[in-house]
Amino acid sequence: MTDRADIEHIEWPATLESHFDLEAELGLLAQADDKLAAGRDLLDAATAALGEAFTAGVLADDLVHGRAAVLDRLLHACWRDAGLNIDSELALVAVGGYGRGELLPGSDIDLLLLAAAPPDESHGDQISEFVRRLWDMGLHVGHSVRTLAECETEAAQDVTIVTNLMEARLLAGSADIYAELQTRTGPERIWPSRQFFAAKLEEQAKRHHKFGDTAYSLEPNVKDGPGGLRDIQMIGWVSKRHLHARRMSELVHHGFLTHDEYGELKEGQSYLWRVRFALHTLTGRSEERLLFDQQRALASLFGYHDESANLAVEQFMQTYYRTVMRLERLNEMLLQHYKEAILYADAVADPEPLNSRFQVRRGFIEARHTDVFKEYPPALLELFLLSAQHPEIEGVRASTIRLLRQHRHLIDDDFRHDLLCRNLFMQILRQSQGVTEQLRRMNRYGILAAYLPAFALIVGRMQYDLFHVYTVDEHTLMVLRNVRRFSVPELRDELPACSQIFSEIAAPEVLYLAALFHDIAKGRGGDHSELGAKDAEDFCRLHGLPEASVTLVSWLVRNHLLMSMTAQRKDISDPEIVREFARQVGTRRYLDHLYLLTIADIRATNPSLWNSWRQSLLSELYEATSRVLQQGIETSQSGHELIAQVQTEALKLIRAQRLSQRDAVQLWEGLSEDYFLRHSADEVTWHTKAILQHGTASGPVVRIRPHTERGGSEIFIFAEDSPQLFAHVTSTLDRLGLDIVDARITSARHGMVLDTFMVLEDNGEALHDGFRLEEIVDALQIALAQLDTAPARVKRRLPQRLRHFQVPTCINFSHSESQHWSAIQLTTGDRPGLLSAVGQALAASHLRLHNAKITTIGEQADDIFYVTEEDGQPLTDAQRQAEVHRAIMHALDENMPTASAG
C-alpha cells in the first residue's frame, strides 16, 4: 500500500540500481526514433536485470516492485506518445495486483482507462493506438474502458470489481477523475466495511474449498491456495476497507497485529513472492501451481541438496508448507479479529464462564485474563479439552489465539512429564466428540508439535511421489479423522462393517494413538515403522496406558502396512498365505484394530486409491483370517476342504439355474485345484454357465460382469491356450484405458485356458452396462483371433504426471515350498503397455503364467507374476532366472512409451 499522490509511480528500489539504470534507459527510450523497438529493448533489459538480481539474492519484494516501477514509466511514456497526456477527461489507472505495485515476470498488466463520459471517436482511436503499442511491445495487457458511472454501477454489483478498484493507482491523466472514482467506490457510497467483509469471507471460504480446504496437497497453488498470497491480500483488502489503512504495517498501530506477527507476515509474503517469481521465470508464463515439473528445479535453485533420508525437493517443499501453515494461522487470527471488530461490533454479549480460566463470548472460547497460560501452563491443553466438551463453541477468540502462540514455549519436558498435562491430553483423546477438530486446531496453533516433538518433525513434510498426496502431518490427522468416522452413527452407512467392528472396541484411544504415531518417524532414516513403534511405546507408558494397550499400540504402528501389503501383493486365495498372516496377527483383537487402521490409512493417503476393489481385498482377507483364528491356526480348513466347500456351493447355484450338474462336474474335472481356491462359488457358477451355454460354437468365450462381489468388473475368457494370450489381452485392455487389478490364469484340458481379469475404469469405478461392454468384448474377440502374431504395441503416451518420477526397475524371484510355482516380483515405473510387455517376455522365455497380482500405487507398479516352466516345474535355476530377467528388461526398454506433450 503506497502513499497517495496525483501520480503514484512506484519507486525503483535502491537494491536494483547496480543491476539496471532505469533513468538512463528511459532517456534512451525518449530519444529513440523507433519507440516500439526501444520499448521492447527496455523491457528485455529490465527482465534480464531482475533475473540477475533474483540470482544475486535481492529480496523478492524489491523485484516485484521493481517490475512495477519499470512498467509505470514505460506506460506513462506510451500514454504521452499516444497524445493522451494533454486530455483532462481521461485517466490511466493501474488496478488489481499492478495497482498494488506488485508485478511478477508473467503477470498480466491490468489497466482501467477511466473517462468522465463515453470517449468520442478520436479518443477511441487514441486509446486503441495506446493499447496496440503495449501489445506490440510484448506486454500481456488486460484493459477496460469505463466511465465513472459504469465503474460505480459494476462495482456496486460485484465485490471482485470493487476490490480491484480499491487498489487502483493513478499512472497518468486526470487526477480529478481518479479522485472522483475513489469517492464513488468508497465504503461511504457502496460496500460498507461490514458488507464487504462478509462477502470477502465467503469468497475466501469458496476459494479454499476449491483446493480441498488444505494447503498441503501434492501440487499446491502459491497464489490462490490456503495460506497463499491471496490470503495475505485478503487481510490487506479488509484493512483498507475497514481501517482506511494504506500500509499493512498500520495493523500494528491499530492493535490487530504485534510487531512479531507483522514481521512473520511480511517474511511469508516475501518467501511466496520469491517462489512465484522463480515459477514465472522457469515456465515463462504466469504459472501459480507448484507442479512436479518445477519442484525439483526450484529445490536446486533455492540451494537444497539431497540427503540420505530427505530429498532436496522434500526439504524445499517442507519449507514451503511450513510457511503457508504460518500464514494460514495469521490469516485465521486476523479474520477472527475482524469478525469481532466488524461483524460483531454492535452486538452486546456477556461472557459465559466455563471455569476460573476460560469463558465463552459470542460462541468463541477466550482466556479470562492475559496471564492465564503464564500462571497455569496446563491451560494450554485445557482450552482444547473444554472446546471438545462444549461442541457449541465455534472456535477460539483471536486474542486467545495470540496468547497461545506467545506461550507455547512453556510446553517443555517438565510440562510433558506433568501428570496433570498428561491426563489432559489423554482426556482430549477420550472425548466422545470433537477429537479430530481439536487435534487439528492444536496443530494449527503449534501446540501439538510442541507437546509431541516427534510430530514437529513431520509438520509440512511431503513425500515426492504420486502415492502420498498430503504432507505427513495432514495425512496423519486425516487417518485419525477416518478412524473417528467409524464412531459416528450418522456415517454408519459409509462402511457398515467397520462401524460395527469399531463399536465393539473397548478403548478407542488405542486406535487413535496408533493413527497419531503410525507415520511419525517418516524422514528420520531407517524403518519408520520400527522407529515410530518405539516412540509410541514410550508415549503410552509415559501416559499411563495399561501394558496390554501399550503393546497393541506399538504393534499396530510397527505393522500398520502389513495388511495392505498382504492383501495387495500376495495371493490371499492361498490358505497358507492366510494362515501366515493369521500367525503374524495372532488374535481377533489385533486383527480388528489393524483392519480399521489399514482402511483409515489408505483412505487418507490418496482419495483415488480407495475403491471397491481394494475394499473387497481387505474385506476378503479380514474374513478369511477371522475364520482361521476362530478355527485355530493349525487346525483351520485345508485346501481340499475349501475346494470341496466351493464346489458344493457352486453345484447348488447351478441346480438353481437349471443347468446340468453332470456337465458341470465333467467340465471341472479338467480344471486344476488352484482354480477352485482362487475363485468363489459365485464366480465358478458364472464361468461354468458361460462355457456350457457356448457349447460347441466356434471361437473363444468372452464375457463381462460389470459388478461383482470382489468390487471390480470381471472379464472372463475361455479360449485355446497360447503363449501370447496374456500379452494380447493386456495390450487390448490397456489400449481401451482399463486398469487391470488382478489376473488369474487356469489351464484346462484339451489345450484350453480359462482366464479372468478384474478391471476398473481409469477413474477407479467399475464398468457400466451398454456400449462400453460391447466395445470391450469386440476388441478382445479381434485380439484373440490374432494370437499367432505379436500384440500391437500400446501407443498411449506416458501421462504427464508420471514423467517426473524415475522408479528403478527391480526384478526378484522367489519360490515357496508349499507352492508349485515361482513368483517373479517386478517393481518399476508405471507406464502404458507394461503388462503386455511383460507378457511377451514371459512367452519368449517359454514360461507358463498361472496368476498375476497387479498393484499400481502412484507412479510405481509393483506386480507379481506366478509362473512355471513349460513342464510345470518351478523356476529355480539361477541361469534361467538370469535369462528371464534379461528378457523382461529388454521388453520394458523396447516398450517404453514416449513422454506426453503435456
Side-chain angles (χ1 to χ4, degrees):
M1 301 179 189
T2 55
D3 291 329
R4 293 270 177 224
D6 283 348
I7 301 294
E8 298 183 275
H9 289 169
I10 303 296
E11 294 296 325
W12 180 248
T15 55
L16 296 175
E17 289 178 355
S18 62
H19 295 274
F20 188 71
D21 190 337
L22 178 58
E23 294 304 323
E25 293 293 334
L26 290 169
L28 293 175
L29 175 65
Q31 298 170 13
D33 294 328
D34 188 342
K35 301 293 187 185
L36 282 178
R40 281 194 291 267
D41 290 344
L42 186 150
L43 282 171
D44 290 344
T47 299
L50 290 170
E52 293 170 3
F54 173 83
T55 304
V58 172
L59 283 177
D61 309 53
D62 291 341
L63 300 176
V64 298
H65 294 317
R67 184 163 179 83
V70 172
L71 267 296
D72 282 3
R73 306 307 197 284
L74 180 60
L75 292 176
H76 192 274
C78 292
W79 183 267
R80 182 186 61 241
D81 292 341
L84 292 166
N85 61 315
I86 59 174
D87 197 312
S88 62
E89 298 300 315
L90 287 173
L92 178 63
V93 181
V95 293
Y98 183 31
R100 292 191 302 271
E102 302 165 6
L103 278 185
L104 280 296
S107 297
D108 287 345
I109 316 299
D110 293 325
L111 299 174
L112 168 65
L113 288 95
L114 183 63
D120 58 25
E121 186 175 343
S122 61
H123 280 132
D125 291 342
Q126 288 177 303
I127 291 171
S128 296
E129 173 62 21
F130 167 71
V131 173
R132 185 188 63 77
R133 281 173 174 264
L134 302 184
W135 278 100
D136 287 347
M137 287 181 184
L139 294 172
H140 296 282
V141 179
H143 78 284
S144 60
V145 182
R146 297 286 186 270
T147 65
L148 285 166
E150 288 171 337
C151 286
E152 182 178 2
T153 299
E154 293 182 14
Q157 296 171 350
D158 191 330
V159 71
T160 303
I161 293 176
V162 77
T163 303
N164 277 335
L165 294 179
M166 279 167 49
E167 299 179 311
R169 185 164 54 87
L170 182 63
L171 300 176
S174 172
D176 291 338
I177 294 177
Y178 171 75
E180 179 66 15
L181 174 70
Q182 299 300 296
T183 300
R184 291 194 183 198
T185 58
E188 295 79 14
R189 294 279 287 269
I190 60 174
W191 292 101
S193 62
R194 177 176 295 184
Q195 184 184 5
F196 178 80
F197 176 65
K200 298 305 286 187
L201 203 60
E202 181 182 2
E203 184 181 80
Q204 175 172 291
K206 289 180 179 178
R207 175 167 50 82
H208 284 186
H209 188 65
K210 178 181 176 182
F211 294 97
D213 293 310
T214 177
Y216 316 118
S217 56
L218 212 57
E219 297 179 309
N221 189 298
V222 180
K223 180 181 177 183
D224 292 318
L229 285 164
R230 193 69 84 193
D231 281 5
I232 300 175
Q233 293 161 9
M234 168 76 169
I235 295 166
W237 295 327
V238 178
S239 305
K240 186 177 290 187
R241 203 72 181 174
H242 181 64
L243 302 173
H244 304 287
R246 296 165 64 186
R247 298 178 181 85
M248 200 79 78
S249 57
E250 293 180 40
L251 294 179
V252 178
H253 171 73
H254 287 284
F256 284 86
L257 281 175
T258 65
H259 285 285
D260 288 345
E261 289 163 349
Y262 172 69
E264 190 175 354
L265 190 67
K266 291 296 291 182
E267 181 183 352
Q269 177 178 256
S270 183
Y271 175 80
L272 293 185
W273 269 344
R274 188 163 182 80
V275 171
R276 196 173 167 211
F277 190 98
L279 269 176
H280 284 207
T281 302
L282 281 173
T283 62
R285 62 179 184 275
S286 181
E287 179 59 77
E288 314 301 350
R289 299 164 300 166
L290 267 172
L291 301 175
F292 290 126
D293 300 52
Q294 290 86 40
Q295 288 178 12
R296 282 187 181 276
L298 287 178
S300 176
L301 190 64
F302 280 60
Y304 293 95
H305 302 283
D306 287 347
E307 298 174 356
S308 58
N310 211 354
L311 297 176
V313 65
E314 294 173 343
Q315 298 171 54
F316 163 67
M317 291 303 295
Q318 185 167 29
T319 302
Y320 171 83
Y321 288 126
R322 288 184 169 183
T323 300
V324 295
M325 172 181 272
R326 289 195 297 271
L327 291 173
E328 244 189 330
R329 292 170 180 169
L330 284 171
N331 174 269
E332 178 191 3
M333 187 185 71
L334 277 167
L335 294 186
Q336 180 58 32
H337 266 307
Y338 283 134
K339 282 181 183 178
E340 296 165 10
I342 300 174
L343 298 184
Y344 309 141
D346 301 329
V348 177
D350 294 328
E352 302 171 26
L354 292 172
N355 59 23
S356 61
R357 289 171 292 278
F358 296 102
Q359 61 191 20
V360 178
R361 190 191 301 269
R362 298 192 194 93
F364 289 82
I365 191 171
E366 66 177 356
R368 298 186 71 171
H369 56 85
T370 57
D371 291 331
V372 162
F373 301 120
K374 182 178 180 181
E375 294 176 358
Y376 187 70
L380 288 163
L381 294 178
E382 183 186 31
L383 178 146
F384 301 100
L385 176 59
L386 289 170
S387 297
Q389 291 172 338
H390 296 270
E392 71 276 8
I393 293 176
E394 297 178 38
V396 185
R397 283 202 72 187
S399 57
T400 302
I401 294 174
R402 175 172 288 135
L403 289 175
L404 282 168
R405 289 162 53 86
Q406 291 172 341
H407 290 89
R408 61 191 175 203
H409 68 277
L410 296 174
I411 303 177
D412 54 15
D413 281 342
D414 290 338
F415 182 101
R416 298 181 198 103
H417 285 79
D418 188 313
L419 179 60
L420 180 57
C421 296
R422 286 181 276 156
N423 285 339
L424 284 168
F425 187 84
M426 290 308 299
Q427 282 189 66
I428 292 172
L429 288 184
R430 290 183 174 123
Q431 292 304 301
S432 61
Q433 55 192 344
V435 176
T436 304
E437 182 181 4
Q438 297 313 316
L439 287 178
R440 282 190 179 280
R441 194 169 280 156
M442 290 169 70
N443 188 38
R444 278 204 306 277
Y445 304 150
I447 301 300
L448 187 58
Y451 190 72
L452 289 175
F455 193 87
L457 299 176
I458 62 171
V459 171
R461 176 169 177 77
M462 65 90 75
Q463 295 171 86
Y464 191 69
D465 57 40
L466 287 173
F467 179 45
H468 302 88
V469 300
Y470 304 109
T471 57
V472 181
D473 58 321
E474 179 74 0
H475 161 72
T476 297
L477 293 175
M478 290 184 74
V479 174
L480 186 71
R481 180 206 68 166
N482 289 344
V483 173
R484 288 286 299 170
R485 290 174 75 88
F486 300 146
S487 71
V488 180
E490 292 80 6
L491 300 175
R492 190 176 183 85
D493 291 341
E494 194 172 86
L495 290 168
C498 292
S499 295
Q500 179 59 38
I501 295 169
F502 185 90
S503 69
E504 299 168 2
I505 287 179
E509 65 270 19
V510 167
L511 204 47
Y512 303 157
L513 285 169
L516 197 56
F517 278 89
H518 80 287
D519 274 352
I520 205 164
K522 282 284 181 76
R524 283 198 235 158
D527 185 336
H528 79 278
S529 299
E530 290 290 340
L531 296 172
K534 182 63 170 64
D535 287 347
E537 183 178 336
D538 293 344
F539 179 91
C540 291
R541 286 213 169 91
L542 178 66
H543 287 74
L545 269 71
E547 191 59 28
S549 295
V550 174
T551 304
L552 176 53
V553 173
S554 178
W555 184 89
L556 286 169
V557 174
R558 182 177 291 107
N559 294 281
H560 70 273
L561 297 174
L562 174 63
M563 193 168 196
S564 61
M565 293 300 99
T566 301
Q568 294 179 100
R569 297 183 180 179
K570 294 186 179 181
D571 183 6
I572 59 175
S573 65
D574 183 342
E576 186 52 45
I577 295 292
V578 176
R579 269 196 289 270
E580 177 56 32
F581 176 70
R583 290 187 189 99
Q584 293 174 281
V585 173
T587 69
R588 176 64 181 266
R589 183 187 183 209
Y590 276 49
L591 175 64
D592 287 348
H593 283 74
L594 182 60
Y595 180 57
L596 296 180
L597 180 62
T598 300
I599 289 177
D601 189 13
I602 293 176
R603 297 182 80 203
T605 300
N606 186 329
S608 65
L609 283 179
W610 184 251
N611 53 39
S612 55
W613 165 248
R614 280 192 169 85
Q615 181 178 349
S616 171
L617 277 180
L618 292 170
S619 177
E620 182 180 341
L621 179 58
Y622 174 82
E623 295 296 338
T625 308
S626 296
R627 288 193 297 270
V628 170
L629 292 172
Q630 184 177 14
Q631 296 166 1
I633 295 174
E634 303 307 328
T635 60
S636 58
Q637 281 183 301
S638 67
H640 292 298
E641 291 171 327
L642 289 172
I643 291 169
Q645 181 179 327
V646 168
Q647 290 181 342
T648 299
E649 292 177 3
L651 283 173
K652 289 180 182 178
L653 294 172
I654 285 170
R655 186 165 55 248
Q657 296 186 31
R658 300 184 182 279
L659 295 172
S660 169
Q661 294 183 68
R662 186 181 62 181
D663 290 345
V665 172
Q666 187 177 358
L667 172 65
W668 295 350
E669 288 174 353
L671 301 176
S672 66
E673 292 183 347
D674 292 326
Y675 169 78
F676 294 97
L677 286 173
R678 288 188 277 148
H679 294 91
S680 68
D682 173 67
E683 290 170 328
V684 170
T685 303
W686 182 57
H687 299 161
T688 302
K689 181 179 179 180
I691 296 172
L692 294 181
Q693 288 182 339
H694 188 73
T696 59
S698 62
V701 177
V702 180
R703 298 286 189 274
I704 300 178
R705 281 204 301 183
H707 305 285
T708 72
E709 60 187 18
R710 290 205 285 152
S713 298
E714 184 178 359
I715 297 175
F716 169 59
I717 297 172
F718 184 66
E720 290 186 17
D721 197 1
S722 166
Q724 290 285 2
L725 189 145
F726 181 80
H728 272 277
V729 171
T730 54
S731 173
T732 301
L733 298 180
D734 199 336
R735 289 200 305 274
L736 290 167
L738 292 170
D739 181 16
I740 304 169
V741 294
D742 189 46
R744 301 179 180 187
I745 293 91
T746 302
S747 296
R749 285 190 307 183
H750 309 303
M752 302 298 287
V753 65
L754 189 155
D755 292 355
T756 58
F757 295 85
M758 195 64 67
V759 301
L760 297 169
E761 296 283 15
D762 58 8
N763 62 1
E765 294 183 359
L767 301 174
H768 296 288
D769 296 309
F771 173 76
R772 180 63 163 158
L773 302 187
E774 294 177 12
E775 176 190 28
I776 297 169
V777 170
D778 290 345
L780 287 172
Q781 292 282 11
I782 293 172
L784 293 172
Q786 301 172 347
L787 294 180
D788 56 341
T789 63
R793 180 178 175 183
V794 178
K795 295 181 180 179
R796 286 195 297 129
R797 289 178 175 273
L798 189 68
Q800 174 88 2
R801 63 189 178 89
L802 297 177
R803 287 195 313 163
H804 318 292
F805 300 94
Q806 300 297 320
V807 180
T809 297
C810 181
I811 302 173
N812 291 310
F813 297 83
S814 62
H815 175 69
S816 171
E817 291 300 325
S818 64
Q819 297 170 331
H820 58 267
W821 52 50
S822 297
I824 302 175
Q825 182 168 348
L826 169 67
T827 300
T828 190
D830 186 28
R831 71 198 74 168
L834 172 63
L835 292 179
S836 180
V838 174
Q840 291 178 67
L842 298 180
S845 300
H846 304 290
L847 293 175
R848 293 178 61 188
L849 177 63
H850 297 272
N851 197 4
K853 291 288 288 184
I854 314 300
T855 305
T856 303
I857 300 178
E859 72 283 0
Q860 180 171 305
D862 200 347
D863 304 335
I864 303 175
F865 304 91
Y866 297 93
V867 301
T868 63
E869 298 282 11
E870 288 184 323
D871 61 2
Q873 296 301 308
L875 182 65
T876 54
D877 182 72
Q879 184 174 346
R880 277 286 287 146
Q881 290 179 358
E883 291 174 2
V884 174
H885 187 287
R886 287 193 295 271
I888 294 174
M889 293 296 294
H890 176 73
L892 294 180
D893 291 341
E894 286 288 305
N895 284 271
M896 178 61 72
T898 57
S900 168

